[in-house]
Amino acid sequence: MVRVLRRQVRGRTIVRSRLIRDDVVKNRSRSAFLRGIRRAEIRDVYRRAKNAVFDMKEYTLVVQPGMTGSFHVTDASTPVVLSDYPVLTMALDDGRRLTYRDVRRLGRIYLLRPDEWQSFSARIGPEPLDPALTAETFGAVLRRSRQAIKKVIMDQRRLAGVGNIYANEALFVSGIDPSRPADSLTASDCRRLLAAIQDILRAAVAAEGTTIRDYRTASGKPGGFQTQLFVYGREGEPCRNCGTPLAATHTIDARTTVFCYRCQR
Ligand SMILES: [Zn+2]
């Protein structure tokens, strides 16, 4: 999402904006929010954890699209259609318009001053795709917790960006029981798990994400990674590795965990 967005809006200035659903903005009043992004230049767009981050000099605009949010760039003359669930529209200085849509409004928007952005980002764990994250550092993070490994890798304060789908997949690929206490993983388990998380995230980003229900890419199409899933959504179907019917449980974190009894001992 961010990769496409960066190409489309970097260097543009917001000339006019409209906040159609203000409950999505979490830390500013409607008027303070609109004032803050007025005439702002989008210097860069990048991803941090599950957030699209717009660097706008005076402020950082953080959009957490959740499960159903998406960005669309169109000609400014294209009418805004309310049945498309628009939340925020921003007219750009090149005659186009950036719209943030959110079907179920599970997303969140924050407008942060530099110091607020610093502390926001500091509360999030390391990026799994950051080359600076070694298996040793990752292992040290895991050893600090006795919680189920699945819960720990999904805890955004410990590791950024891994949600339920990719946690299920990475634990399967690395052959690790999702309920195992994090501090029981060996150095080799940690290496395998980090490598699996990185592989899965890279493949999912390359496929423009996973669409289970409503998620759409920046070009309006569903993502492509759902066809490559090993376990998520495949309860009762044969394990792609050994043929054993996959099991599901909700006892680890109240979310669906699908796994193979044989491959993830
Ligand atoms: Zn299996």
Side-chain angles (χ1 to χ4, degrees):
M1 198 184 264
V2 168
R3 203 171 34 181
V4 174
L5 200 55
R6 183 187 298 131
R7 274 202 301 271
Q8 293 175 315
V9 304
R10 185 161 57 179
R12 300 269 60 95
T13 295
I14 299 166
V15 290
R16 220 171 25 256
S17 43
R18 218 177 119 199
L19 183 60
I20 297 155
R21 297 289 197 170
D22 46 14
D23 57 345
V24 178
V25 175
K26 297 301 175 188
N27 73 328
R28 290 281 186 272
S29 70
R30 169 191 198 84
S31 58
F33 176 79
L34 291 172
R35 214 180 314 121
I37 61 172
R38 198 164 160 242
R39 299 298 317 170
E41 183 197 340
I42 302 171
R43 298 198 298 190
D44 196 11
V45 187
Y46 58 95
R47 184 190 59 75
R48 171 76 172 113
K50 300 179 185 180
N51 306 290
V53 182
F54 295 74
D55 169 14
M56 305 192 309
K57 194 175 171 189
E58 246 186 288
Y59 285 103
T60 301
L61 175 69
V62 177
V63 182
Q64 202 177 89
M67 299 275 282
T68 61
S70 58
F71 294 98
H72 304 268
V73 176
T74 55
D75 224 61
S77 57
T78 315
V80 176
V81 182
L82 287 177
S83 58
D84 284 341
Y85 307 97
V87 168
L88 172 67
T89 67
M90 293 176 272
L92 306 175
D93 59 351
D94 63 353
R96 289 180 304 159
R97 183 173 57 228
L98 170 61
T99 303
Y100 172 67
R101 295 180 190 162
D102 195 343
V103 180
R104 288 194 269 164
R105 294 220 301 290
L106 301 170
R108 291 155 174 269
I109 297 178
Y110 301 89
L111 188 66
L112 305 172
R113 289 189 314 267
D115 58 312
E116 292 173 319
W117 164 241
Q118 281 220 329
S119 49
F120 185 101
S121 182
R123 285 194 295 272
I124 310 172
E127 292 286 338
L129 296 179
D130 183 345
L133 178 64
T134 62
E136 288 69 36
T137 318
F138 178 62
V141 169
L142 302 188
R143 270 193 301 279
R144 282 199 290 272
S145 175
R146 303 175 73 176
Q147 283 192 310
I149 182 63
K150 184 189 173 216
K151 276 178 102 160
V152 174
I153 59 173
M154 285 176 61
D155 180 345
Q156 300 300 302
R157 291 164 304 181
R158 299 180 199 267
L159 185 70
V162 177
N164 193 41
I165 297 176
Y166 302 133
N168 273 277
E169 295 299 301
L171 289 161
F172 173 79
V173 168
S174 53
I176 294 168
D177 176 346
S179 66
R180 236 174 100 181
D183 64 356
S184 77
L185 268 69
T186 65
S188 126
D189 292 332
C190 295
R191 264 197 307 279
R192 274 197 339 274
L193 179 56
L194 180 60
I197 290 173
Q198 292 169 334
D199 286 350
I200 302 275
L201 289 180
R202 281 198 196 99
V205 168
E208 296 190 70
T210 306
T211 295
I212 301 298
R213 287 172 58 174
D214 305 308
Y215 168 70
R216 292 292 176 272
T217 69
S219 38
K221 294 183 305 238
F225 195 68
Q226 59 282 4
T227 61
Q228 299 176 45
L229 297 172
F230 287 105
V231 287
Y232 186 83
R234 299 193 62 243
E235 176 188 1
E237 292 177 43
C239 168
R240 295 201 201 276
N241 186 37
C242 75
T244 304
L246 295 173
T249 177
H250 289 85
T251 57
I252 296 174
D253 55 3
R255 309 282 304 271
T256 308
T257 303
V258 185
F259 63 101
C260 175
Y261 273 114
R262 241 173 114 179
C263 299
Q264 293 172 267
R265 275 205 180 138

